[in-house]
């Protein structure tokens, strides 16, 4: 028994797809990011991203993957919704005494 998600507005776009703000159909959970990737014939290449996110699912430094599914020529990944920007995170780490190089190595 899977969870159904609804797509909201587009919050990001890239060369192979886009990212939507998403919601659990029951509206019981926090909002999520739903990444839609047009995979065409490169399915294994894109499934590798989902596999790596699963592998590091217990890391506090990696966005969490809640679910993924392949439908027709699209891969959908339901991800933890990251708040803020990379720049804001870099400034926060700088306040904690880390250098930029340390930030880049730990990300």
């Amino acid at each position: 028994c899977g969870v159904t998600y609804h797509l909201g507005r587009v919050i990001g776009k890239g060369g192979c797809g886009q990212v939507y703000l998403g919601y659990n159909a029951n509206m019981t959970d926090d909002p999520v990011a739903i990444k839609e990737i047009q995979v065409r014939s490169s399915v294994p290449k894109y499934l590798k991203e989902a596999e790596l996110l699963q592998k590091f699912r217990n890391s506090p430094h990696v966005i969490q993957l809640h679910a993924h599914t392949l439908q027709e020529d699209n891969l959908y990944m339901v991800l933890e919704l990251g708040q803020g920007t990379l720049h804001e995170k870099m400034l926060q780490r700088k306040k904690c005494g880390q250098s930029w190089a340390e930030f880049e190595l730990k990300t």
Side-chain angles (χ1 to χ4, degrees), residues 3-9 20-34 78 81:
V3 176
T4 301
Y5 290 91
H6 293 292
L7 297 178
R9 64 182 172 84
Y20 298 90
L21 183 62
Y23 299 93
N24 176 319
N26 298 327
M27 300 298 277
T28 56
D29 296 326
D30 292 330
V32 294
I34 301 177
V78 180
L81 181 62

Side-chain angles (χ1 to χ4, degrees), residues 1 3 40 62:
C1 179
V3 176
R40 297 183 186 91
V62 177

Side-chain angles (χ1 to χ4, degrees), residues 1 9 33 75 103-104:
C1 179
R9 64 182 172 84
L75 172 65
F103 174 80
E104 291 172 11

Side-chain angles (χ1 to χ4, degrees), residues 89-99 102:
K89 290 178 183 174
M90 290 172 77
L91 290 175
Q92 183 61 36
R93 297 252 175 120
K94 187 72 171 171
K95 289 178 188 173
C96 295
Q98 293 177 314
S99 71
E102 287 173 325

